[in-house]
Amino acid sequence: MMDYKSAGVDVTRGYRLVDLIKKSAADTYDENVLSGLGSFGGFYALPKGYAEPVLVSGTDGVGTKLRYAVILDKHDTIGTDCVAMCVNDIVCQGARPLFFLDYVACGKLDPEKMSVVVKGVAAACKEVGCALVGGETAEMPGMYPEDEYDLAGFSVGIADRSRIINGSRIRKGDVLVGLASSGIHSNGFSLVRKLLGEDRKELEKYDPELGMTTGEAVLTPTRLYVRSALALASEFDVRGIAHITGGGFIENIPRILPDGLCAEVDISSFPRLPIFGLLAKKSGLGDDKLYNTFNMGIGMVLAVPAEQAESVKEAAVKLGESAYIMGRVAEGGGVKLLGGK
């Protein structure tokens, strides 16, 4: 006799996982959540107080950073990466994330290990005020090795149409304020893995230049900018916000600039985190390639009027961010890197 379990899928493991994560998910709920975990869909009522509400959605995954979580058997922060990659995009439009759903695919479901992953998702959702209203776990033998998994997510936020931030009001002379990243975040890991390798013993060695092990450095979770970005946008004339992900400054900053304008970025205006110094040394890449691959120490860039720039920087610091006046908007196109060695 051949049944589903003998084919490699044990549905009871999924039931066990739901039991393990129910409380963590429920801790993220607010008054707008209308159903509990386990329904076929997550219900969320639109909050009041918006004159002309617009929904803003975003989806992303963690990518091959997951390899390091598996190799080092450390799964408690990878959920933060998943949430951050979605909600940091949403907040670039001035939208407040409302709810989040996750998707985990694996070769063989380990309920205890996956509960650590999903509890990390829930903790990040709670930090940004976003409800984890549901998700999906797929056990897929033959598609993934037994001890490996993939993690992706989807989030929906809300903004008043009149307060949407899309970069259209950015003008020549506006100033770029950068909010520091926590590290590599969740992009460029196909290259990172080639440069730093996947040997657990090497990754667990302490590196005095990093001030931690290499493994700890690469698994430092993506910074969540939601609360700071929304607070700054409510107080100042924030005309554009760029989340620095794959493609670095070169790809992401121009996405918020109107035609005919460029970003002049002084890369000496903010510190290069030690992990990027290590990657630069091992790769031998020049600034043009590095800043087109990694965030290089800046995870979010805000375009604001010149007369507000210092005040925005000071307010960001009070909110717990490390912030820098890092450039300005000028005539031209793309990104011009200034101040390099």
Side-chain angles (χ1 to χ4, degrees):
M1 182 181 71
M2 175 70 72
D3 62 8
Y4 207 16
K5 184 175 181 178
S6 60
V9 179
D10 185 349
V11 295
T12 63
R13 290 195 286 261
Y15 306 153
R16 169 67 176 159
L17 175 59
V18 171
D19 287 338
L20 290 171
I21 64 175
K22 268 185 177 179
K23 184 181 184 304
S24 295
D27 285 344
T28 71
Y29 292 177
D30 59 22
E31 67 277 8
N32 300 304
V33 178
L34 304 182
S35 68
L37 194 68
S39 301
F40 286 97
F43 291 81
Y44 195 94
L46 287 180
K48 297 179 174 63
Y50 291 85
E52 196 174 359
V54 176
L55 297 179
V56 181
S57 60
T59 185
D60 209 339
V62 180
T64 61
K65 184 175 184 174
L66 282 166
R67 284 287 302 146
Y68 282 129
V70 172
I71 291 164
L72 294 164
D73 194 25
K74 187 178 187 304
H75 309 279
D76 58 331
T77 60
I78 209 75
T80 297
D81 291 294
C82 186
V83 174
M85 295 305 291
C86 296
V87 298
N88 284 348
D89 277 353
I90 287 174
V91 81
C92 287
Q93 275 64 66
R96 177 173 70 86
L98 298 176
F99 59 85
F100 187 88
L101 294 92
D102 60 8
Y103 175 83
V104 180
C106 57
K108 181 178 180 180
L109 180 60
D110 179 335
E112 280 69 29
K113 181 168 73 177
M114 283 304 105
S115 73
V116 173
V117 174
V118 179
K119 286 176 182 178
V121 171
C125 286
K126 190 170 183 178
E127 183 176 336
V128 301
C130 178
L132 176 59
V133 297
E136 178 69 18
T137 304
E139 197 169 24
M140 302 169 67
M143 285 292 292
Y144 295 90
E146 282 196 0
D147 62 343
E148 294 190 10
Y149 62 94
D150 198 6
L151 175 64
F154 173 84
S155 188
V156 172
I158 191 168
D160 247 326
R161 183 184 290 270
S162 64
R163 298 187 63 83
I164 288 175
I165 298 171
N166 60 15
S168 62
R169 295 187 302 107
I170 294 176
R171 298 291 181 264
K172 175 184 175 181
D174 284 350
V175 169
L176 303 175
V177 179
L179 306 183
S181 68
S182 56
I184 306 172
H185 285 182
S186 301
N187 297 104
F189 272 85
S190 294
L191 177 57
V192 171
R193 290 185 298 108
K194 291 291 184 181
L195 297 174
L196 302 183
E198 297 185 353
D199 185 287
R200 181 167 181 167
K201 289 183 178 179
E202 291 298 316
L203 291 167
E204 290 179 336
K205 287 181 178 178
Y206 180 82
D207 186 324
E209 292 188 10
L210 298 177
M212 60 186 76
T213 69
T214 304
E216 288 171 334
V218 297
L219 279 182
T220 300
T222 306
R223 188 164 181 81
L224 294 156
Y225 297 102
V226 170
R227 293 193 184 276
S228 294
L230 290 177
L232 293 171
S234 69
E235 185 177 355
F236 301 99
D237 183 15
V238 177
R239 297 175 174 177
I241 305 178
H243 181 202
I244 309 303
T245 56
F249 290 177
I250 308 301
E251 177 184 334
N252 290 289
I253 297 178
R255 291 167 65 179
I256 66 171
L257 298 176
D259 291 342
L261 297 179
C262 75
E264 294 182 346
V265 175
D266 180 0
I267 61 175
S268 67
S269 63
F270 55 90
R272 178 181 288 189
L273 298 178
I275 187 63
F276 296 115
L278 177 62
L279 294 172
K281 180 180 178 181
K282 286 196 172 279
S283 69
L285 295 174
D287 286 343
D288 57 336
K289 294 289 187 181
L290 289 169
Y291 285 86
N292 197 24
T293 306
F294 304 113
N295 68 63
M296 298 305 290
I298 297 292
M300 188 158 278
V301 176
L302 285 66
V304 301
E307 64 272 16
Q308 293 187 13
E310 282 295 338
S311 296
V312 170
K313 173 187 170 183
E314 292 171 6
V317 171
K318 288 180 180 178
L319 289 165
E321 305 291 345
S322 294
Y324 308 92
I325 304 295
M326 56 177 288
R328 68 186 186 95
V329 177
E331 292 181 352
V335 175
K336 297 177 182 178
L337 301 179
L338 310 174
K341 297 179 181 178

